[in-house]
PDB file of all heavy atoms in Angstrom:
ATOM      1  N   THR A 254      10.904  28.235 -23.345  1.00 90.00           N
ATOM      2  CA  THR A 254      10.333  28.871 -22.143  1.00 90.00           C
ATOM      3  C   THR A 254      11.348  29.831 -21.508  1.00 90.00           C
ATOM      4  O   THR A 254      11.053  30.464 -20.485  1.00 90.00           O
ATOM      5  CB  THR A 254       9.947  27.825 -21.066  1.00 90.00           C
ATOM      6  OG1 THR A 254      11.109  27.041 -20.777  1.00 90.00           O
ATOM      7  CG2 THR A 254       8.816  26.895 -21.565  1.00 90.00           C
ATOM      8  N   LYS A 306      23.027  11.575 -25.429  1.00 79.00           N
ATOM      9  CA  LYS A 306      22.720  12.696 -26.341  1.00 79.00           C
ATOM     10  C   LYS A 306      23.561  12.523 -27.574  1.00 79.00           C
ATOM     11  O   LYS A 306      24.773  12.461 -27.489  1.00 79.00           O
ATOM     12  CB  LYS A 306      23.018  14.017 -25.676  1.00 79.00           C
ATOM     13  CG  LYS A 306      22.370  14.257 -24.335  1.00 79.00           C
ATOM     14  CD  LYS A 306      20.969  14.801 -24.463  1.00 79.00           C
ATOM     15  CE  LYS A 306      20.367  15.040 -23.123  1.00 79.00           C
ATOM     16  NZ  LYS A 306      20.051  13.762 -22.442  1.00 79.00           N
ATOM     17  N   TYR A 337       6.754  18.174 -29.871  1.00 84.00           N
ATOM     18  CA  TYR A 337       6.560  19.211 -28.883  1.00 84.00           C
ATOM     19  C   TYR A 337       7.125  20.525 -29.410  1.00 84.00           C
ATOM     20  O   TYR A 337       8.190  20.579 -30.018  1.00 84.00           O
ATOM     21  CB  TYR A 337       7.263  18.830 -27.585  1.00 84.00           C
ATOM     22  CG  TYR A 337       6.916  19.800 -26.470  1.00 84.00           C
ATOM     23  CD1 TYR A 337       5.698  19.720 -25.785  1.00 84.00           C
ATOM     24  CD2 TYR A 337       7.789  20.832 -26.112  1.00 84.00           C
ATOM     25  CE1 TYR A 337       5.378  20.640 -24.807  1.00 84.00           C
ATOM     26  CE2 TYR A 337       7.469  21.742 -25.121  1.00 84.00           C
ATOM     27  CZ  TYR A 337       6.247  21.628 -24.490  1.00 84.00           C
ATOM     28  OH  TYR A 337       5.933  22.555 -23.486  1.00 84.00           O
ATOM     29  N   ARG A 425       1.206  20.446 -23.900  1.00 86.00           N
ATOM     30  CA  ARG A 425       1.788  19.109 -24.067  1.00 86.00           C
ATOM     31  C   ARG A 425       0.745  18.176 -24.667  1.00 86.00           C
ATOM     32  O   ARG A 425       1.070  17.217 -25.389  1.00 86.00           O
ATOM     33  CB  ARG A 425       2.187  18.598 -22.687  1.00 86.00           C
ATOM     34  CG  ARG A 425       2.882  17.270 -22.690  1.00 86.00           C
ATOM     35  CD  ARG A 425       3.083  16.866 -21.228  1.00 86.00           C
ATOM     36  NE  ARG A 425       3.581  15.516 -21.153  1.00 86.00           N
ATOM     37  CZ  ARG A 425       2.829  14.419 -21.257  1.00 86.00           C
ATOM     38  NH1 ARG A 425       1.547  14.568 -21.483  1.00 86.00           N
ATOM     39  NH2 ARG A 425       3.329  13.243 -21.213  1.00 86.00           N
ATOM     40  N   ARG A 813       1.002  15.900  30.780  1.00 89.00           N
ATOM     41  CA  ARG A 813       1.010  14.455  30.848  1.00 89.00           C
ATOM     42  C   ARG A 813      -0.216  13.984  31.608  1.00 89.00           C
ATOM     43  O   ARG A 813      -0.528  14.478  32.670  1.00 89.00           O
ATOM     44  CB  ARG A 813       2.315  14.006  31.580  1.00 89.00           C
ATOM     45  CG  ARG A 813       3.561  14.464  30.845  1.00 89.00           C
ATOM     46  CD  ARG A 813       4.754  14.211  31.702  1.00 89.00           C
ATOM     47  NE  ARG A 813       5.144  12.837  31.618  1.00 89.00           N
ATOM     48  CZ  ARG A 813       6.180  12.422  30.891  1.00 89.00           C
ATOM     49  NH1 ARG A 813       6.876  13.265  30.217  1.00 89.00           N
ATOM     50  NH2 ARG A 813       6.457  11.158  30.852  1.00 89.00           N
ATOM     51  N   ASN A 860      -5.374  21.012  32.483  1.00 93.00           N
ATOM     52  CA  ASN A 860      -3.914  20.831  32.515  1.00 93.00           C
ATOM     53  C   ASN A 860      -3.367  21.785  33.518  1.00 93.00           C
ATOM     54  O   ASN A 860      -3.595  23.001  33.465  1.00 93.00           O
ATOM     55  CB  ASN A 860      -3.337  21.100  31.114  1.00 93.00           C
ATOM     56  CG  ASN A 860      -1.864  20.725  31.005  1.00 93.00           C
ATOM     57  OD1 ASN A 860      -1.339  20.108  31.912  1.00 93.00           O
ATOM     58  ND2 ASN A 860      -1.229  21.173  29.985  1.00 93.00           N
TER      59      ASN A 860
ATOM     60  P     A B  23      -7.917   0.071  20.646  1.00 80.38           P
ATOM     61  OP1   A B  23      -7.532  -0.084  22.080  1.00 80.38           O
ATOM     62  OP2   A B  23      -7.568  -0.964  19.682  1.00 80.38           O
ATOM     63  O5'   A B  23      -9.523   0.309  20.551  1.00 80.38           O
ATOM     64  C5'   A B  23     -10.116   1.301  21.335  1.00 80.38           C
ATOM     65  C4'   A B  23     -11.280   1.919  20.570  1.00 80.38           C
ATOM     66  O4'   A B  23     -10.774   2.787  19.545  1.00 80.38           O
ATOM     67  C3'   A B  23     -12.184   0.906  19.830  1.00 80.38           C
ATOM     68  O3'   A B  23     -13.139   0.327  20.705  1.00 80.38           O
ATOM     69  C2'   A B  23     -12.785   1.791  18.751  1.00 80.38           C
ATOM     70  O2'   A B  23     -13.845   2.559  19.302  1.00 80.38           O
ATOM     71  C1'   A B  23     -11.614   2.714  18.429  1.00 80.38           C
ATOM     72  N9    A B  23     -10.849   2.248  17.265  1.00 80.38           N
ATOM     73  C8    A B  23      -9.531   1.845  17.282  1.00 80.38           C
ATOM     74  N7    A B  23      -9.092   1.465  16.102  1.00 80.38           N
ATOM     75  C5    A B  23     -10.198   1.634  15.276  1.00 80.38           C
ATOM     76  C6    A B  23     -10.398   1.405  13.899  1.00 80.38           C
ATOM     77  N6    A B  23      -9.439   0.941  13.110  1.00 80.38           N
ATOM     78  N1    A B  23     -11.596   1.651  13.384  1.00 80.38           N
ATOM     79  C2    A B  23     -12.594   2.087  14.192  1.00 80.38           C
ATOM     80  N3    A B  23     -12.487   2.332  15.517  1.00 80.38           N
ATOM     81  C4    A B  23     -11.290   2.089  15.975  1.00 80.38           C
ATOM     82  P     U B  57       9.457   9.535  29.887  1.00 80.38           P
ATOM     83  OP1   U B  57      10.517  10.531  29.559  1.00 80.38           O
ATOM     84  OP2   U B  57       8.075   9.998  30.176  1.00 80.38           O
ATOM     85  O5'   U B  57       9.396   8.453  28.711  1.00 80.38           O
ATOM     86  C5'   U B  57      10.583   7.860  28.231  1.00 80.38           C
ATOM     87  C4'   U B  57      10.241   6.704  27.318  1.00 80.38           C
ATOM     88  O4'   U B  57       9.440   5.748  28.016  1.00 80.38           O
ATOM     89  C3'   U B  57       9.409   7.078  26.090  1.00 80.38           C
ATOM     90  O3'   U B  57      10.198   7.661  25.081  1.00 80.38           O
ATOM     91  C2'   U B  57       8.847   5.715  25.715  1.00 80.38           C
ATOM     92  O2'   U B  57       9.820   4.924  25.055  1.00 80.38           O
ATOM     93  C1'   U B  57       8.560   5.118  27.098  1.00 80.38           C
ATOM     94  N1    U B  57       7.142   5.374  27.487  1.00 80.38           N
ATOM     95  C2    U B  57       6.179   4.531  26.968  1.00 80.38           C
ATOM     96  O2    U B  57       6.436   3.633  26.190  1.00 80.38           O
ATOM     97  N3    U B  57       4.912   4.817  27.368  1.00 80.38           N
ATOM     98  C4    U B  57       4.504   5.801  28.227  1.00 80.38           C
ATOM     99  O4    U B  57       3.302   5.906  28.521  1.00 80.38           O
ATOM    100  C5    U B  57       5.576   6.621  28.736  1.00 80.38           C
ATOM    101  C6    U B  57       6.819   6.375  28.368  1.00 80.38           C
ATOM    102  P     C B  67       3.048  28.094  26.232  1.00 80.38           P
ATOM    103  OP1   C B  67       2.285  29.181  26.837  1.00 80.38           O
ATOM    104  OP2   C B  67       4.517  28.200  26.105  1.00 80.38           O
ATOM    105  O5'   C B  67       2.702  26.741  26.986  1.00 80.38           O
ATOM    106  C5'   C B  67       3.246  26.458  28.244  1.00 80.38           C
ATOM    107  C4'   C B  67       2.593  25.215  28.833  1.00 80.38           C
ATOM    108  O4'   C B  67       1.207  25.528  29.152  1.00 80.38           O
ATOM    109  C3'   C B  67       2.535  24.047  27.870  1.00 80.38           C
ATOM    110  O3'   C B  67       3.697  23.312  27.863  1.00 80.38           O
ATOM    111  C2'   C B  67       1.339  23.287  28.445  1.00 80.38           C
ATOM    112  O2'   C B  67       1.718  22.542  29.605  1.00 80.38           O
ATOM    113  C1'   C B  67       0.401  24.411  28.851  1.00 80.38           C
ATOM    114  N1    C B  67      -0.563  24.723  27.831  1.00 80.38           N
ATOM    115  C2    C B  67      -1.648  23.875  27.551  1.00 80.38           C
ATOM    116  O2    C B  67      -1.721  22.817  28.198  1.00 80.38           O
ATOM    117  N3    C B  67      -2.559  24.223  26.609  1.00 80.38           N
ATOM    118  C4    C B  67      -2.418  25.354  25.956  1.00 80.38           C
ATOM    119  N4    C B  67      -3.359  25.629  25.059  1.00 80.38           N
ATOM    120  C5    C B  67      -1.340  26.225  26.194  1.00 80.38           C
ATOM    121  C6    C B  67      -0.462  25.907  27.117  1.00 80.38           C
ATOM    122  P     A B  84       5.090  10.530 -20.009  1.00 80.38           P
ATOM    123  OP1   A B  84       4.554  10.969 -21.321  1.00 80.38           O
ATOM    124  OP2   A B  84       5.131   9.109 -19.618  1.00 80.38           O
ATOM    125  O5'   A B  84       6.561  11.143 -19.810  1.00 80.38           O
ATOM    126  C5'   A B  84       6.804  12.493 -20.141  1.00 80.38           C
ATOM    127  C4'   A B  84       8.153  12.881 -19.666  1.00 80.38           C
ATOM    128  O4'   A B  84       8.305  12.543 -18.253  1.00 80.38           O
ATOM    129  C3'   A B  84       9.332  12.165 -20.264  1.00 80.38           C
ATOM    130  O3'   A B  84       9.582  12.587 -21.586  1.00 80.38           O
ATOM    131  C2'   A B  84      10.435  12.547 -19.280  1.00 80.38           C
ATOM    132  O2'   A B  84      10.795  13.909 -19.426  1.00 80.38           O
ATOM    133  C1'   A B  84       9.679  12.383 -17.966  1.00 80.38           C
ATOM    134  N9    A B  84       9.913  11.047 -17.400  1.00 80.38           N
ATOM    135  C8    A B  84       9.118   9.940 -17.432  1.00 80.38           C
ATOM    136  N7    A B  84       9.657   8.884 -16.821  1.00 80.38           N
ATOM    137  C5    A B  84      10.898   9.319 -16.425  1.00 80.38           C
ATOM    138  C6    A B  84      11.964   8.735 -15.740  1.00 80.38           C
ATOM    139  N6    A B  84      11.951   7.441 -15.367  1.00 80.38           N
ATOM    140  N1    A B  84      13.046   9.468 -15.501  1.00 80.38           N
ATOM    141  C2    A B  84      13.071  10.736 -15.892  1.00 80.38           C
ATOM    142  N3    A B  84      12.135  11.435 -16.531  1.00 80.38           N
ATOM    143  C4    A B  84      11.088  10.665 -16.776  1.00 80.38           C
ATOM    144  P     C B  85      10.338  11.541 -22.537  1.00 80.38           P
ATOM    145  OP1   C B  85       9.775  11.604 -23.890  1.00 80.38           O
ATOM    146  OP2   C B  85      10.354  10.316 -21.794  1.00 80.38           O
ATOM    147  O5'   C B  85      11.798  12.149 -22.562  1.00 80.38           O
ATOM    148  C5'   C B  85      11.872  13.462 -22.932  1.00 80.38           C
ATOM    149  C4'   C B  85      13.075  14.137 -22.352  1.00 80.38           C
ATOM    150  O4'   C B  85      14.230  13.332 -22.606  1.00 80.38           O
ATOM    151  C3'   C B  85      13.325  15.446 -23.078  1.00 80.38           C
ATOM    152  O3'   C B  85      13.877  16.378 -22.144  1.00 80.38           O
ATOM    153  C2'   C B  85      14.320  15.057 -24.147  1.00 80.38           C
ATOM    154  O2'   C B  85      15.102  16.110 -24.519  1.00 80.38           O
ATOM    155  C1'   C B  85      15.142  14.023 -23.411  1.00 80.38           C
ATOM    156  N1    C B  85      15.804  13.080 -24.283  1.00 80.38           N
ATOM    157  C2    C B  85      17.147  12.809 -24.061  1.00 80.38           C
ATOM    158  O2    C B  85      17.721  13.431 -23.159  1.00 80.38           O
ATOM    159  N3    C B  85      17.785  11.914 -24.873  1.00 80.38           N
ATOM    160  C4    C B  85      17.133  11.288 -25.829  1.00 80.38           C
ATOM    161  N4    C B  85      17.803  10.454 -26.529  1.00 80.38           N
ATOM    162  C5    C B  85      15.763  11.556 -26.080  1.00 80.38           C
ATOM    163  C6    C B  85      15.119  12.429 -25.310  1.00 80.38           C
ATOM    164  P     C B  86      12.978  17.082 -21.050  1.00 80.38           P
ATOM    165  OP1   C B  86      13.791  18.186 -20.528  1.00 80.38           O
ATOM    166  OP2   C B  86      12.364  16.081 -20.163  1.00 80.38           O
ATOM    167  O5'   C B  86      11.778  17.708 -21.927  1.00 80.38           O
ATOM    168  C5'   C B  86      11.905  18.974 -22.581  1.00 80.38           C
ATOM    169  C4'   C B  86      10.595  19.725 -22.476  1.00 80.38           C
ATOM    170  O4'   C B  86       9.699  19.130 -23.418  1.00 80.38           O
ATOM    171  C3'   C B  86       9.949  19.576 -21.105  1.00 80.38           C
ATOM    172  O3'   C B  86       9.876  20.794 -20.353  1.00 80.38           O
ATOM    173  C2'   C B  86       8.654  18.792 -21.293  1.00 80.38           C
ATOM    174  O2'   C B  86       7.566  19.323 -20.658  1.00 80.38           O
ATOM    175  C1'   C B  86       8.498  18.764 -22.824  1.00 80.38           C
ATOM    176  N1    C B  86       8.108  17.396 -23.270  1.00 80.38           N
ATOM    177  C2    C B  86       6.822  17.134 -23.724  1.00 80.38           C
ATOM    178  O2    C B  86       6.004  18.103 -23.768  1.00 80.38           O
ATOM    179  N3    C B  86       6.510  15.917 -24.139  1.00 80.38           N
ATOM    180  C4    C B  86       7.416  14.936 -24.064  1.00 80.38           C
ATOM    181  N4    C B  86       7.071  13.723 -24.492  1.00 80.38           N
ATOM    182  C5    C B  86       8.745  15.150 -23.597  1.00 80.38           C
ATOM    183  C6    C B  86       9.036  16.429 -23.181  1.00 80.38           C
ATOM    184  P     A B  87       9.456  22.147 -20.625  1.00 80.38           P
ATOM    185  OP1   A B  87       9.246  22.921 -19.422  1.00 80.38           O
ATOM    186  OP2   A B  87       8.427  22.048 -21.681  1.00 80.38           O
ATOM    187  O5'   A B  87      10.760  22.714 -21.275  1.00 80.38           O
ATOM    188  C5'   A B  87      10.728  23.924 -22.021  1.00 80.38           C
ATOM    189  C4'   A B  87      12.010  24.008 -22.786  1.00 80.38           C
ATOM    190  O4'   A B  87      12.308  22.794 -23.415  1.00 80.38           O
ATOM    191  C3'   A B  87      11.998  25.025 -23.930  1.00 80.38           C
ATOM    192  O3'   A B  87      12.163  26.343 -23.467  1.00 80.38           O
ATOM    193  C2'   A B  87      13.106  24.552 -24.795  1.00 80.38           C
ATOM    194  O2'   A B  87      14.343  24.955 -24.273  1.00 80.38           O
ATOM    195  C1'   A B  87      12.947  23.037 -24.654  1.00 80.38           C
ATOM    196  N9    A B  87      12.192  22.446 -25.744  1.00 80.38           N
ATOM    197  C8    A B  87      11.106  23.013 -26.433  1.00 80.38           C
ATOM    198  N7    A B  87      10.632  22.256 -27.393  1.00 80.38           N
ATOM    199  C5    A B  87      11.426  21.097 -27.302  1.00 80.38           C
ATOM    200  C6    A B  87      11.439  19.913 -28.017  1.00 80.38           C
ATOM    201  N6    A B  87      10.571  19.627 -29.032  1.00 80.38           N
ATOM    202  N1    A B  87      12.339  18.980 -27.756  1.00 80.38           N
ATOM    203  C2    A B  87      13.200  19.219 -26.760  1.00 80.38           C
ATOM    204  N3    A B  87      13.288  20.303 -25.985  1.00 80.38           N
ATOM    205  C4    A B  87      12.378  21.205 -26.327  1.00 80.38           C
TER     206        A B  87
END
Side-chain angles (χ1 to χ4, degrees):
Chain A
T254 56
K306 306 274 181 291
Y337 188 78
R425 185 185 172 282
R813 301 170 79 103
N860 188 12

